[in-house]
Amino acid sequence: MELKQLQYFMAVCEELHFSRAAERMGVSAPNISQQIRALEEELGMLLFDRVGRKIALTDAGAILREHGTAVLGHLRQAGDAIADLKHKQGGAISIGVLPGDADLLFNALLLDFHRTYPQVSVSLLETMKVTEQVLDRSIDIGVAIGPIADERLTAIPLFREEFALAVNKQHPWADESAVPLAKLSSLKLVLFPGEHQCRRLLEQYCLEQGFRVKPHLETTTLASLLQMVEQGFGACVLPRLLLENLDRDGIRTLRLIQPTPSQDICLVYRSDRYVGYAMRTFIKTLRNYIEAAIRHAKIS
């Protein structure tokens, strides 16, 4: 069995389509089919059931996929470790975050990180599929919602994220320190769309209180939400840590109580991957940054 054959096999496992796997691997579909058949002949068993254009793993294919994942994972770790040794204090890291979280965790952090570690290359991606992309190795590390039950992933708790209400400074509630969640039922709201994690969490809490949120406006961007609040168009529910670390004179932050919407935020990466210098340094920097942001919010 050749390494290239194993890589072709794993690509077909993930795509369950020979043409897509071939395109992903940069070869022709007949070439990849020929290599898979040669592998099946060598092993003496079919690896895929082929029914028309559809394919599915056989029991033998499932066994090879399990061991193939381990083999390729070890090879990647070896390459990462050698690259880490070669570059010493350099390297690259790709990070996935949920839409909107970049504003909370990364805008200022990335600038400071680059100034301190200019030799480390960082790429940031906003995605609704953080854990999926960590698992398929399209990103190195992700900021996700806990708890994480998948044993293929290592999760590092970061903080408990609480949500608060943002209102215009002229709003009748602007001088309040906290409002019960149930009062949102009578409030004009601007929110993220329904598929956004922040919106889904809010809807879950509101349904438990016996009402549905009905926003007057939806937008996918944090900047638009904040602008609408500042202009008095409506109020918005956002992470309290984000709101308290913003420099927006036109917005007042009110705690939500009875209950307080909240969720656990954690850092995730594949348990079988090598954690090199770039990743270790970024994880340490991110945790220190969050601790400082939390201290600032408490002092303020």
Side-chain angles (χ1 to χ4, degrees), residues 112-159:
D112 291 342
F113 185 80
H114 179 68
R115 292 190 190 102
T116 307
Y117 306 100
Q119 68 278 30
V120 176
S121 173
V122 179
S123 59
L124 182 66
L125 170 71
E126 286 196 333
T127 172
M128 293 297 294
K129 298 181 178 180
V130 173
T131 55
E132 292 92 332
Q133 292 192 245
V134 170
L135 285 170
D136 69 19
R137 301 180 190 273
S138 57
I139 55 178
D140 297 315
I141 196 166
V143 179
I145 309 300
I148 302 294
D150 196 319
E151 62 183 13
R152 295 172 295 173
L153 295 172
T154 293
I156 301 174
L158 291 176
F159 65 102

Side-chain angles (χ1 to χ4, degrees), residues 1 7 31 41 56 81 92 97 106 110 115 124 134 136 173 199 223 229-230 234-235 247 253 259 292 295 300:
M1 182 187 303
Q7 291 172 328
N31 187 335
E41 289 176 6
V97 298
F106 292 99
L110 289 181
R115 292 190 190 102
L124 182 66
V134 170
D136 69 19
W173 297 356
R199 172 73 174 275
V229 174
E230 282 186 314
D247 185 19
T253 300
R295 285 196 302 271
S300 301

Side-chain angles (χ1 to χ4, degrees), residues 48-289:
F48 297 99
D49 282 327
R50 300 163 175 85
V51 182
R53 294 187 177 183
K54 295 182 179 180
I55 62 174
L57 274 174
T58 63
D59 290 343
I63 292 172
L64 183 58
R65 179 180 61 180
E66 179 182 353
H67 290 280
T69 299
V71 169
L72 295 181
H74 286 308
L75 285 174
R76 274 188 288 267
Q77 288 192 62
D80 289 345
I82 292 170
D84 200 29
L85 179 64
K86 178 181 178 181
H87 297 295
K88 299 214 170 163
Q89 294 187 345
I93 182 172
S94 56
I95 306 142
V97 298
L98 293 168
D101 282 356
D103 301 274
L104 170 58
L105 296 175
F106 292 99
N107 284 348
L109 169 65
L110 289 181
L111 290 174
D112 291 342
F113 185 80
H114 179 68
R115 292 190 190 102
T116 307
Y117 306 100
Q119 68 278 30
V120 176
S121 173
V122 179
S123 59
L124 182 66
L125 170 71
E126 286 196 333
T127 172
M128 293 297 294
K129 298 181 178 180
V130 173
T131 55
E132 292 92 332
Q133 292 192 245
V134 170
L135 285 170
D136 69 19
R137 301 180 190 273
S138 57
I139 55 178
D140 297 315
I141 196 166
V143 179
I145 309 300
I148 302 294
D150 196 319
E151 62 183 13
R152 295 172 295 173
L153 295 172
T154 293
I156 301 174
L158 291 176
F159 65 102
R160 180 76 174 170
E161 181 176 59
E162 295 185 352
F163 286 76
L165 183 66
V167 300
N168 177 272
K169 66 179 180 180
Q170 303 298 331
H171 193 277
W173 297 356
D175 292 330
E176 300 288 337
S177 60
V179 294
L181 183 69
K183 283 196 172 184
L184 296 189
S185 62
S186 61
L187 194 61
K188 188 176 181 180
L189 295 170
V190 292
L191 298 172
F192 285 120
E195 67 273 12
H196 194 282
Q197 171 61 23
C198 177
R199 172 73 174 275
R200 293 204 303 265
L201 180 78
L202 177 62
E203 288 184 340
Q204 174 191 332
Y205 272 82
C206 290
L207 283 174
E208 291 172 357
Q209 297 302 304
F211 70 96
R212 292 181 178 273
V213 289
K214 297 178 180 179
H216 283 65
L217 181 142
E218 296 179 347
T219 177
T220 59
T221 66
L222 176 65
S224 296
L225 287 179
L226 295 174
Q227 185 177 17
M228 291 296 178
V229 174
E230 282 186 314
Q231 293 177 356
F233 185 83
C236 183
V237 176
L238 290 168
R240 184 167 64 88
L241 189 61
L242 166 65
L243 291 171
E244 293 184 349
N245 280 276
L246 285 174
D247 185 19
R248 297 273 187 149
D249 292 335
I251 293 178
R252 298 291 180 266
T253 300
L254 286 61
R255 289 189 303 113
L256 286 170
I257 57 174
Q258 301 171 6
T260 300
S262 61
Q263 61 189 6
D264 292 315
I265 304 297
C266 60
L267 213 55
V268 295
Y269 58 88
R270 284 191 65 108
S271 300
D272 62 359
R273 70 157 296 136
Y274 173 75
V275 182
Y277 173 82
M279 227 169 123
R280 291 195 308 271
T281 303
F282 186 82
I283 290 172
K284 179 181 178 181
T285 303
L286 175 59
R287 297 182 79 175
N288 290 341
Y289 178 81

